[in-house]
Amino acid sequence: MASLDSVSIAIFLGAVLVMAGILSSLLALRFGAPLLLVFLGIGMLAGDAGPGKLSFDDVRTTYLVGSVALALILFDGGLRTKFQSIRTVLAPSMVLATIGVLLTALVTAPAARYVLDLNWTESLLVGAVVASTDAAAVFLLVHTQGLRLRPRVGATLEAESGTNDPFAIFLTLMLVQFISLGESSPSHVVFELAREGLLGAFVGVIGGRLVVLALNRMALPQGLHAPFVTTAAVVIFGMAQIAHASGFLAVYLAGIIIGNRPTRAHNSVVTFLDAATWLAQIVMFVLLGLLSSPQRILDSVGPAVIVALVLMLVARPLAVLLCLVPFRFNWREKIFIAWTGLRGAVAIFLASIPMLIGLPKAYLYFDVAFVVVIISLLLQGWTLAPAARWLHVALPRVDRGPRRVELDLPGQLEQQLVGYPVRPKSLYFRRGLLPSWSKPTLVIRDERILSPAEADPVAAGDYLYLLAPPEKAEALDRFFVDMAPSSAPDPHLLGDFMVSGEHTLGELAEIYGVSVAEEQAKLTLADYFDIHLDHAPKEGAELALDPIVLVARNIGGGRVNVVGLRLPEEEEVVVPLTRMQRARRKLAEIWASVAGV
């Protein structure tokens, strides 16, 4: 009976932990990545050195759970990464994910050798363990704290954090092998790196395409699409690892491919993976906390703090500055990217590899990584948003999107049903605007279902459902959030090829002789951009209007304030591409053809 009681207690405590993890997601929006340290502390308190007195030293189980959790986190990051947003930053991201990791490890190694009394190989292993940024921490801060970074900076950080783990794992394994066996040739290292990278990319691309094909061809019961995709991600990871390829690279690429292709139940898959990755992080942090020893960590906390400061203030900034020299990042962007080198569970996970192999001083690597992660999440995690604002790489915050409902329609992939509550200050309610590619289908008012004609005019508090292409559904959000106050320019600006966005198409037709349909004559130029663009307007966006091309010159309050007019007689000046630009474009074309995006 005692053994049965212990099992019951374990089930109860496990369920309480999962429930606490679910409820903690509410606090994640406020506290961000440092909240995960709470679960690290829970693991330490539950361990044999804490009040829980739970003896846990199963490194193999920790490594297994950590591998699966990290694979799901990377897959979720890839699933959310739009190829269009990262194609322009592939080159700097790849340089940071490879050369940047190596430089960080090399610069950190002398400090580790000096303060920890290690030889050069062991010091380099310490550097390799803490060299990579943590995808989970970066994704968490970027996606849940409401931090809006400049597109190039945000895309670079996400792509780097998603792709640098495979190289850090490879570097750690090579050094562990060298320490344990005492031999390794440069040719062997290059061969292993090439094999893991190329084979991992192959498995990820093929696996991602097969998952897309299966999702769209198989008639799975409602609710099983998300578990199927999640399980498929683990299968892809396992297949790559069995083939001695980089499973982490494979699962990240598979996520990118699946996320950039039209699939059934995409919204439910993303929602399910959000919950799965959050719980995976919690379980991983608790297990790592159980595996730690507070007394042992206190013995090495001084040297570990020095390693952490050298890593954050010297190694990471130096690696970033050197790696970004060939690319056009300004000094503010470089400093912010350098400061966003958050370390998380990946570092502690990598530090468990020497313990799994049984290397001498294995616990020292683990303890140093443990302290580095705590300092990084506390110091960098909580100062990330102020740093972004201070360095002017953060865009103005906007209200969180409305509660969008997405429903897949059986039998086709071209349209889905998207529903929104109608707010009294929304662009749709005030101006009646909707993009040309969406179609109102039904309105729910006072628990009654009405057609758009029956519900006309739509009232505040109604729920409007529209048909829209799945890849454009998110772009509808801006029509159903509260309108921001616009900073309209001088209304007398008309006439010098720069036009206020508040002028109507009819006024433009009178002055420039363009043809405008009668029903569109009362639309403002800002309205015209809102209706015809597939996304929120950005500076430089262009729309054709008869022989004239309208160019968005200034954005305010989420709408176009100033419009430039490109007249037919204007000749466009073709600027020849540099060699670097041609190489980037060719690389993007090759990736797009391989990934099918």
Side-chain angles (χ1 to χ4, degrees), residues 313-398:
L313 302 179
V314 181
R316 168 72 177 178
L318 184 61
V320 169
L321 293 177
L322 291 177
C323 288
L324 295 184
V325 166
F327 307 103
R328 296 180 179 178
F329 287 86
N330 61 47
W331 67 270
R332 294 178 183 272
E333 294 171 334
K334 291 177 181 178
I335 291 177
F336 182 76
I337 292 173
W339 186 243
T340 317
L342 281 97
R343 271 63 192 174
V346 174
I348 309 177
F349 166 74
L350 291 180
S352 69
I353 296 177
M355 296 170 63
L356 184 64
I357 302 298
L359 289 185
K361 305 177 183 178
Y363 281 100
L364 179 62
Y365 306 130
F366 186 90
D367 297 341
V368 170
F370 200 94
V371 174
V372 168
V373 168
I374 291 176
I375 293 176
S376 177
L377 287 179
L378 286 175
L379 186 59
Q380 294 175 304
W382 264 327
T383 60
L384 202 59
R389 290 190 289 268
W390 182 66
L391 293 169
H392 304 293
V393 298
L395 299 175
R397 291 188 61 173
V398 296

Side-chain angles (χ1 to χ4, degrees), residues 435-455:
S436 55
W437 40 263
S438 66
K439 180 181 179 181
T441 304
L442 59 92
V443 177
I444 297 179
R445 177 184 298 162
D446 298 329
E447 300 185 4
R448 292 182 297 131
I449 300 177
L450 308 172
S451 68
E454 293 172 332

Side-chain angles (χ1 to χ4, degrees), residues 536-549:
K538 300 177 181 178
E539 289 188 17
E542 298 181 0
L543 283 177
L545 180 65
D546 201 29
I548 292 179
V549 176

Side-chain angles (χ1 to χ4, degrees), residues 207-217 228 254 257-259 261-264:
R209 288 197 164 192
L210 288 176
V211 172
V212 171
L213 188 65
L215 268 178
N216 294 336
R217 294 285 181 90
F228 170 77
I257 291 173
I258 297 170
R261 300 287 290 177
T263 57
R264 298 188 189 279

Side-chain angles (χ1 to χ4, degrees), residues 71 206 222 467 537 550:
I206 299 300
Q222 187 72 22
L467 287 176
L550 306 178

Side-chain angles (χ1 to χ4, degrees), residues 214-236:
L215 268 178
N216 294 336
R217 294 285 181 90
M218 294 191 308
L220 291 174
Q222 187 72 22
L224 289 184
H225 296 88
F228 170 77
V229 174
T230 305
T231 306
V234 180
V235 170
I236 292 171

Side-chain angles (χ1 to χ4, degrees), residues 42-199:
I42 290 174
M44 296 177 68
L45 291 174
D48 54 4
K53 300 298 181 183
L54 179 62
S55 179
F56 182 83
D57 57 0
D58 192 345
V59 181
R60 186 176 297 276
T61 298
T62 304
Y63 182 81
L64 175 63
V65 173
S67 297
V68 174
L70 183 56
L72 289 178
I73 291 166
L74 289 173
F75 181 74
D76 181 57
L79 199 67
R80 290 178 167 275
T81 301
K82 296 303 178 185
F83 180 70
Q84 294 298 330
S85 67
I86 67 167
R87 64 187 304 173
T88 57
V89 298
L90 276 178
S93 300
M94 294 304 102
V95 172
L96 285 171
T98 52
I99 299 175
V101 170
L102 181 60
L103 288 175
T104 303
L106 290 174
V107 177
T108 306
R113 186 177 190 273
Y114 177 76
V115 300
L116 296 172
D117 192 24
L118 302 173
N119 62 40
W120 280 113
T121 307
E122 294 169 337
S123 302
L124 189 58
L125 178 57
V126 173
V129 163
V130 299
S132 69
T133 58
D134 186 72
V138 173
F139 292 151
L140 180 66
L141 284 171
V142 171
H143 291 298
T144 66
Q145 281 197 334
L147 184 62
R148 296 180 64 232
L149 301 176
R150 295 190 180 278
R152 183 173 62 166
V153 176
T156 300
L157 288 171
E158 290 194 28
E160 180 212 359
S161 63
T163 54
N164 66 4
D165 290 336
F167 187 77
I169 293 169
F170 168 80
L171 189 60
T172 300
L173 291 174
M174 287 294 99
L175 289 168
V176 167
Q177 180 181 351
F178 181 81
I179 294 173
S180 59
L181 300 179
E183 57 180 10
S184 183
S185 64
S187 59
H188 173 70
V189 172
V190 173
F191 172 77
E192 289 293 327
L193 176 61
R195 185 187 67 177
E196 288 203 12
L198 295 176
L199 194 54

